[in-house]
Amino acid sequence: MAKSPEAPASNAAPSEGTVLNGGTVSPSGKGRATPSRAEQEAARKRPLVADTKEAKARARADLAAQREKARVGMAAGDEKFLPVRDKGPQRRFARDFVDSGWHLGEALMPAMVLVIVATFIPLPAIQYYSFIALWIFILFVIGDMIITSIRVKRAVRDKFGAERMEKGLGWYAAMRTIQMRFMRLPKPQVKRGQHPA
């Protein structure tokens, strides 16, 4: 009588992708299911806002560089970085007109500091006369502002024409006279005594 073929051992490991006794399928070779398209897209998404210390530091450095560039450009009188108040060839001419001369208003702030110091001197006469001198000086400063305003408007009218005369240009120039030269913005682009272009 012929021998029947031997049955496979029950403890043999099932091959990949074969059906087991319980009806379940053994895992594929990579040991996990293929992710769906939604899962793949979610894995590829990255936040738009920097979420690392290096990225935040780089963003802060870029912003600081942009601000510094704008500050330097404004100080140099670059039209691209100037506020609306300072833009235009007439405003530039008015600034150069003021910066080319000497004005009493430049000494107004130091004079006020001297008067404040004088108030600490325990002599009523010194305190009184220092205040009187300050008010007299302020009157001269106001007179210089008025004269400068008139001269600037006349010079702008001669250079650009009456039809291109901007409103408020005289006041703009007058207010610049009471700023100390090193504190003016935009910075002076002409030397004292130099005729504005």
Side-chain angles (χ1 to χ4, degrees), residues 64-130:
Q66 291 175 5
R67 288 178 177 173
E68 179 64 15
K69 183 179 179 180
R71 186 191 67 79
V72 172
M74 179 180 178
D78 191 340
E79 288 282 329
K80 184 168 56 176
F81 298 103
L82 292 179
V84 177
R85 174 180 64 93
D86 298 315
K87 285 186 175 182
Q90 296 182 19
R91 300 280 169 155
R92 177 183 289 274
F93 179 83
R95 291 195 301 270
D96 291 345
F97 189 97
V98 172
D99 297 336
S100 64
W102 292 86
H103 301 278
L104 293 175
E106 297 178 49
L108 182 59
M109 189 177 295
M112 295 176 71
V113 173
L114 288 177
V115 171
I116 292 174
V117 172
T119 59
F120 292 98
I121 300 175
L123 293 174
I126 292 179
Q127 297 176 0
Y128 174 76
Y129 287 112
S130 63

Side-chain angles (χ1 to χ4, degrees), residues 151-165:
R151 292 180 61 206
V152 165
K153 288 191 287 188
R154 184 183 300 139
V156 170
R157 193 179 296 112
D158 293 341
K159 181 177 178 61
F160 297 97
E163 66 280 357
R164 295 186 59 189
M165 187 68 187

Side-chain angles (χ1 to χ4, degrees), residues 26-36 39-40:
S26 66
S28 60
K30 53 190 176 180
R32 56 183 174 79
T34 302
S36 65
E39 292 173 340
Q40 292 176 358

